[in-house]
Amino acid sequence: MKMIDSLQNASVKKWKKLHTKKERDKSNTFLIEGFHLIEEAVKSETEITDIIVEQDAILPKQFNFPNVTFTYVSKQVMKAISETETPQGIAAICKKDNVEHIELTSESKLLIIDRVQDPGNVGTMIRTADAAGMDGVILGKGCADLYNSKTVRATQGSLFHLPILTSDITPWFEKIKEKQIPIYGTALVNGVPYQNVNPTKSFALIVGNEGVGVEQELLEKTDKNLYVPIYGKAESLNVSLAAGILLYYLRG
Amino acid sequence: MKMIDSLQNASVKKWKKLHTKKERDKSNTFLIEGFHLIEEAVKSETEITDIIVEQDAILPKQFNFPNVTFTYVSKQVMKAISETETPQGIAAICKKDNVEHIELTSESKLLIIDRVQDPGNVGTMIRTADAAGMDGVILGKGCADLYNSKTVRATQGSLFHLPILTSDITPWFEKIKEKQIPIYGTALVNGVPYQNVNPTKSFALIVGNEGVGVEQELLEKTDKNLYVPIYGKAESLNVSLAAGILLYYLRG
């Protein structure tokens, strides 16, 4: 059993650096925290390189992974590598799953996210896409990083449940159209209320940036652009709320 | 023009105390930050007792309220009274609007929130209830405080748009039933998928605590309990997502 209590330890320094996207990209790993996320990672056969346990943490009985070394650390070390205010006493380093392809069929349902910057929104939308039974999520360039700790936390483990691909969006339009999957944008201007279209066995829904929405160039290439009507005095809906309402409506 | 640069100033001390519910209740006031929220407060004729401006802040031209004194403060003072990481340079003290009654008709649509503890969730649901054209929101005991700065921020101003009443929920059931408004609970156990009911001109939807849901005693008094089906591998939806999907579905 290894026990680390120095903040100067090389592993600790390496783990701390995973707070930055640069280091996550370089090392092709990311850090997750808490029992729930680690269980989800294990269930989905994500490659875990280290499990880091605070020395006094009490592990659930079934928490036993024969192929992974547990590293014990002091409270101070856990605090340094954690990005939550009240660490749960357990963290793990996972290999990133660099999805490069989502297999499309004539029944595929996709969520496409264009430049949504808040990691909480990106994570919540991944969780909702999972719940709504989507077959994949495409994160366009300019979105919050999938492996940002806030994104990961907001997914509640859904990042391990469905293929999530980071890619330019435009090339995917052709692939989606080839399968005759309707593409719906979201737009307040020149859009129609979502109730004007019918639920359908396949679709790709694109939602966009919190301030400026979906890029105009993309909106011009969709089959139809939808909006969620505002019946009261609110100016708008939060993007993840709009996404949830539309995904559940469209899938019927 | 008053200018305050001391953290020891009595007003500054008073404003800082508004970070706590105790002081908000005692003084019957709360603090809001940023141009957007202040504009919404003014539009809704909320009583504003002070507008606090950082000395170097640039005010929009139309930002002019003849009946309210502007108090100028130093950057340091603004930082002390603000609860955001990057203060916008303007804040205001508002009188609480202690709603005691929501007028019900046979076409009323209500959202009832039972013990939802995260202020972000409570605020987001108020915003969504506003967007979905609800006639009022009832916040049961045990919810995050409506006037918590995080709740206020998440409402994006919707707290000024519709009546929001803090009350025991049970007594409202009778008033709602008198008007023949159907009451829908939300429950994974003994519930039905929401698509089993039809949209309706009036309804009261109850959503509950992030961990344990709606209190059992309330669920036994509803007309029907609904759930949002999970089609993928997610364990659940965020409560404000579920609320949004249900509110938009039920209103049709």
Side-chain angles (χ1 to χ4, degrees):
Chain A
M1 183 177 114
K2 277 198 286 181
M3 164 76 197
I4 303 176
D5 60 7
S6 163
L7 295 176
Q8 301 311 314
N9 177 284
S11 295
V12 174
K13 284 184 173 174
K14 200 177 68 183
W15 296 332
K16 261 187 77 170
K17 278 194 189 157
L18 294 177
H19 298 182
T20 69
K21 181 174 189 308
K22 191 177 160 195
E23 189 64 22
R24 291 191 296 268
D25 286 347
K26 199 174 125 194
S27 64
N28 202 34
T29 61
F30 65 110
L31 186 143
I32 61 177
E33 294 184 53
F35 292 106
H36 176 65
L37 276 176
I38 295 176
E39 272 165 1
E40 295 295 314
V42 170
K43 268 195 231 161
S44 70
E45 302 183 357
T46 297
E47 194 181 335
I48 297 176
T49 62
D50 300 88
I51 293 191
I52 306 154
V53 184
E54 197 179 306
Q55 58 189 129
D56 300 327
I58 294 156
L59 301 185
K61 270 199 189 124
Q62 73 283 20
F63 211 79
N64 177 22
F65 311 115
N67 302 318
V68 187
T69 329
F70 280 31
T71 303
Y72 289 81
V73 299
S74 65
K75 192 166 186 161
Q76 187 199 19
V77 167
M78 183 56 84
K79 211 176 159 182
I81 64 172
S82 168
E83 291 187 86
T84 54
E85 274 178 43
T86 47
Q88 283 187 54
I90 188 155
I93 310 297
C94 301
K95 285 265 182 212
K96 294 208 286 184
D97 179 14
N98 297 304
V99 174
E100 287 181 354
H101 189 69
I102 296 176
E103 191 63 36
L104 297 181
T105 74
S106 60
E107 302 205 345
S108 292
K109 297 179 187 70
L110 296 175
L111 174 65
I112 304 175
I113 306 179
D114 175 36
R115 297 169 302 157
V116 170
Q117 290 178 317
D118 180 74
N121 281 335
V122 170
T124 301
M125 287 195 282
I126 289 170
R127 179 180 176 191
T128 309
D130 177 15
M134 296 297 107
D135 298 297
V137 175
I138 297 172
L139 284 186
K141 302 276 163 74
C143 282
D145 183 29
L146 173 58
Y147 298 105
N148 177 307
S149 68
K150 287 182 190 159
T151 313
V152 171
R153 214 158 46 239
T155 71
Q156 293 267 320
S158 288
L159 86 159
F160 299 119
H161 296 164
L162 75 174
I164 303 164
L165 180 143
T166 299
S167 160
D168 268 337
I169 295 172
T170 316
W172 276 88
F173 268 45
E174 282 179 38
K175 297 180 197 179
I176 293 167
K177 289 190 179 195
E178 262 172 33
K179 297 286 177 189
Q180 267 136 35
I181 299 169
I183 303 181
Y184 297 120
T186 44
L188 288 173
V189 180
N190 297 326
V192 299
Y194 69 91
Q195 298 98 328
N196 285 20
V197 301
N198 289 321
T200 150
K201 67 178 175 167
S202 71
F203 62 85
L205 175 73
I206 312 178
V207 295
N209 177 273
E210 291 90 345
V212 298
V214 176
E215 201 181 354
Q216 191 55 36
E217 211 186 299
L218 292 172
L219 288 178
E220 284 163 12
K221 290 180 184 148
T222 59
D223 290 289
K224 209 160 234 172
N225 295 319
L226 311 177
Y227 66 85
V228 179
I230 302 291
Y231 300 103
K233 295 184 207 154
E235 276 176 22
S236 64
L237 278 166
N238 169 286
V239 62
S240 43
L241 255 301
I245 292 164
L246 292 171
L247 290 178
Y248 267 87
Y249 175 79
L250 290 170
R251 73 152 293 131
Chain B
M1 183 177 114
K2 277 198 287 181
M3 164 75 196
I4 303 177
D5 61 6
S6 163
L7 295 176
Q8 301 311 316
N9 177 284
S11 296
V12 174
K13 284 184 173 175
K14 200 177 68 183
W15 297 333
K16 260 187 78 170
K17 279 195 189 156
L18 294 177
H19 297 182
T20 70
K21 180 172 190 310
K22 191 177 160 195
E23 190 64 23
R24 292 191 296 269
D25 286 348
K26 199 175 126 194
S27 64
N28 201 35
T29 61
F30 64 110
L31 185 142
I32 60 176
E33 296 184 51
F35 291 107
H36 176 66
L37 277 175
I38 295 174
E39 272 166 0
E40 295 295 313
V42 170
K43 268 195 232 161
S44 70
E45 302 184 356
T46 297
E47 194 182 334
I48 298 177
T49 61
D50 299 88
I51 292 190
I52 306 154
V53 184
E54 196 178 306
Q55 59 190 130
D56 300 325
I58 294 157
L59 301 184
K61 269 198 189 128
Q62 73 282 18
F63 210 79
N64 176 23
F65 311 115
N67 302 318
V68 187
T69 331
F70 279 30
T71 302
Y72 288 81
V73 299
S74 65
K75 193 167 185 161
Q76 186 198 18
V77 167
M78 183 55 85
K79 210 173 161 185
I81 64 171
S82 168
E83 291 187 86
T84 55
E85 274 178 42
T86 47
Q88 282 187 53
I90 188 154
I93 310 298
C94 301
K95 284 265 181 213
K96 294 209 285 185
D97 179 14
N98 297 304
V99 174
E100 287 181 356
H101 189 70
I102 295 176
E103 191 63 37
L104 297 182
T105 74
S106 60
E107 301 205 345
S108 292
K109 297 180 187 69
L110 296 175
L111 174 65
I112 303 175
I113 306 179
D114 175 36
R115 299 169 302 158
V116 170
Q117 290 178 318
D118 179 76
N121 280 335
V122 170
T124 301
M125 287 195 282
I126 290 169
R127 178 180 175 191
T128 309
D130 177 15
M134 296 298 107
D135 298 297
V137 175
I138 297 172
L139 283 186
K141 302 277 162 73
C143 282
D145 182 30
L146 173 58
Y147 298 105
N148 177 308
S149 68
K150 286 181 191 161
T151 312
V152 171
R153 213 153 51 234
T155 71
Q156 294 266 320
S158 288
L159 86 158
F160 299 119
H161 296 164
L162 76 174
I164 303 164
L165 179 143
T166 298
S167 160
D168 267 337
I169 295 172
T170 316
W172 276 87
F173 268 45
E174 282 179 37
K175 297 181 197 181
I176 293 167
K177 288 190 179 196
E178 262 172 32
K179 297 286 177 188
Q180 267 136 36
I181 299 169
I183 303 181
Y184 297 120
T186 45
L188 287 174
V189 180
N190 296 326
V192 299
Y194 69 92
Q195 298 97 330
N196 285 20
V197 301
N198 289 321
T200 149
K201 68 178 175 168
S202 72
F203 62 86
L205 175 73
I206 312 178
V207 296
N209 178 273
E210 291 90 345
V212 298
V214 176
E215 201 179 354
Q216 191 55 38
E217 211 184 300
L218 293 172
L219 288 179
E220 284 163 12
K221 291 180 185 149
T222 59
D223 290 287
K224 209 161 235 170
N225 295 319
L226 311 177
Y227 66 85
V228 179
I230 303 290
Y231 299 103
K233 294 184 208 155
E235 276 177 22
S236 64
L237 278 165
N238 168 287
V239 61
S240 43
L241 255 300
I245 292 164
L246 292 171
L247 290 178
Y248 268 88
Y249 176 80
L250 289 170
R251 72 154 293 131

